[in-house]
Amino acid sequence: MTGIPTDKDASRVAAGAGLVTLARTVGGILNLLLIVVLTRLLSKGDFATVIAIYLVHELITAVGPLGLPSALSFFVPKLGRQAGRSLATTTSILLFAMGLPIALGLVFGGPAIADGIGQPQLGIGLAIVSVAVLADMPGQTLPSYLIAKEAYIGAFWVTLLFYLTRFASFVVPAYLGYSPAVIIGCFAAVAVLRFLWLVLYLVFFEKGAVRRQESDQWSIGDLYTYGLPMAASLVVGKLNIQLDKYMIFVLLTPAAFAVFTVGAIEIPLVTSIAYSVTTALIPTLVKAHQAGDIQRFIGYWHGSMTKVASIMMPIWAFCMVFAEPIMKVIFSASYAEAAIPFRVYLCLLPLRLCGYGAVVRAIGHTKPVLWAASLGLLVN
């Protein structure tokens, strides 16, 4: 049926997007709570070390996969579930193979890099986090695949468990008084457990052919053609978000880096609500585009943006007014100066009512995402 989405279709998609959004909202809250807890459990020096290593992990696991997990949201709904298992399995194997040289580089080159930037305390942590990188790169396949085949309940639980286990892997050893190296080691161990769950799911729980069949209408080259512009845009996007933090870490003291890091963040609503809603909608938008139903396509996209704005904008205004008290209450009075970068980052929130790249991703064009991200970096 064409035109405006039916009540049944709209309710199903809205419920699914709502579940994914809920999991990511909880994740965003846990990410914020993680920083709050670590600032109170660790000294500023140890906090700076842990967060710096974590930022390296985040950058690598965002850029390293070269956009392959994102490709699942396009190819699975386009080709049907009969190709789903082979797509997910191939993607996981490719990501593991791509992560291996990166992990080896961190093991053998991490200490040298740390000494080169004058931060030798990072050396052991960079070597340890290589295990988390090797596990989390293919581990991204599972939630992306579940969303791609519109298994929203499964995606909800996988995403929620990811955030909960990551939170616990940092907080528990920090609470017990362990060193940054042990904290990063626990983080890596939990990442391995998440990777093993992906393997178990694809081997024992998912149906369909494991390997690509001759009749399948996709190739590994297709995955990279779709994913590479996404990966390049992620590189630029991560630089937009993290470059200032790396500069502060290298140029100023660990204490200054700690204060800047807690303030220079976008509140969790951005990734947990706006981006997760549009990410969850991509399979539905792909189907609408394939059917040539432009009105239905635009109806879903604009409707989601309006609902997100009704939540985000009042919170934006409150945070802008009360930024300094918020920093003092959440992170303690010693982090009061973090209100300055916090207000600057808040200015970006009105631009984040949706993930605009979802539109071009849904029609199979990812290069505009790269151009937009590059323009953003140039402006910054």
Side-chain angles (χ1 to χ4, degrees):
M1 183 176 181
T2 61
I4 300 299
T6 65
D7 291 341
K8 183 178 180 180
D9 287 341
S11 297
R12 178 184 61 81
V13 174
L19 278 175
V20 175
T21 301
L22 176 61
R24 295 191 178 183
T25 300
V26 174
I29 294 171
L30 286 175
N31 284 341
L32 177 60
L33 187 59
L34 175 64
I35 296 176
V36 173
V37 173
L38 290 182
T39 55
R40 297 177 183 274
L41 293 178
L42 303 175
S43 67
K44 283 186 177 180
D46 285 348
F47 172 76
T49 298
V50 170
I51 292 300
I53 295 170
Y54 178 62
L55 285 175
V56 171
H57 171 272
E58 287 288 280
L59 178 62
I60 293 173
T61 54
V63 175
L66 300 182
L68 295 188
S70 298
L72 294 174
S73 292
F74 177 74
F75 285 101
V76 172
K78 179 181 178 181
L79 302 177
R81 294 189 180 181
Q82 69 274 10
R85 189 184 188 190
S86 60
L87 277 164
T89 303
T90 301
T91 299
S92 301
I93 294 172
L94 289 172
L95 291 176
F96 184 86
M98 291 155 53
L100 188 57
I102 299 174
L104 292 175
L106 287 172
V107 170
F108 296 105
I113 294 172
D115 290 339
I117 62 174
Q119 303 288 346
Q121 73 276 12
L122 297 181
I124 296 177
L126 288 174
I128 296 173
V129 86
S130 64
V131 178
V133 168
L134 188 59
D136 275 337
M137 278 187 56
Q140 297 178 47
T141 301
L142 186 53
S144 297
Y145 176 55
L146 292 173
I147 291 174
K149 69 175 190 173
E150 299 182 78
Y152 294 118
I153 295 177
F156 166 80
W157 286 112
V158 167
T159 303
L160 184 62
L161 287 173
F162 168 80
Y163 285 115
L164 287 172
T165 54
R166 185 172 68 178
F167 178 81
S169 69
F170 280 106
V171 171
V172 172
Y175 176 77
L176 295 175
Y178 287 109
S179 66
V182 174
I183 295 172
I184 298 301
C186 293
F187 171 61
V190 172
V192 171
L193 293 178
R194 291 194 296 262
F195 170 72
L196 292 176
W197 171 241
L198 164 68
V199 175
L200 290 173
Y201 176 82
L202 291 177
V203 173
F204 296 107
F205 295 98
E206 186 64 352
K207 298 179 181 179
V210 175
R211 297 181 179 180
R212 178 183 176 274
Q213 305 298 300
E214 293 184 3
S215 59
D216 290 346
Q217 298 177 336
W218 65 274
S219 67
I220 292 176
D222 293 332
L223 298 178
Y224 282 108
T225 298
Y226 184 93
L228 282 173
M230 289 294 301
S233 66
L234 282 171
V235 172
V236 178
K238 282 295 180 180
L239 287 175
N240 272 326
I241 296 172
Q242 296 183 359
L243 185 60
D244 53 351
K245 296 180 178 66
Y246 290 122
M247 290 172 58
I248 295 296
F249 184 77
V250 172
L251 298 176
L252 300 182
T253 65
F257 173 74
V259 172
F260 183 81
T261 298
V262 302
I265 58 173
E266 294 190 54
I267 59 177
L269 294 177
V270 175
T271 55
S272 62
I273 296 181
Y275 291 175
S276 59
V277 167
T278 46
T279 298
L281 282 177
I282 288 177
T284 301
L285 297 179
V286 170
K287 293 177 180 178
H289 178 260
Q290 276 193 301
D293 194 346
I294 304 303
Q295 189 175 7
R296 181 167 175 260
F297 186 106
I298 295 176
Y300 274 120
W301 182 50
H302 283 185
S304 67
M305 193 189 310
T306 302
K307 290 180 175 64
V308 167
S310 66
I311 298 173
M312 288 175 59
M313 295 311 297
I315 297 177
W316 170 82
F318 176 85
C319 290
M320 184 64 75
V321 174
F322 296 103
E324 187 169 342
I326 289 172
M327 293 294 103
K328 289 181 179 179
V329 169
I330 295 178
F331 302 110
S332 79
S334 63
Y335 287 90
E337 291 181 342
I340 298 173
F342 181 63
R343 281 196 172 102
V344 173
Y345 269 69
L346 276 174
C347 294
L348 297 172
L349 193 143
L351 304 176
R352 306 287 205 244
L353 298 182
C354 71
Y356 300 97
V359 175
V360 291
R361 287 172 58 190
I363 62 177
H365 300 299
T366 52
K367 289 182 180 179
V369 181
L370 171 59
W371 291 116
S374 301
L375 179 61
L377 178 61
L378 179 63
V379 171
N380 285 343

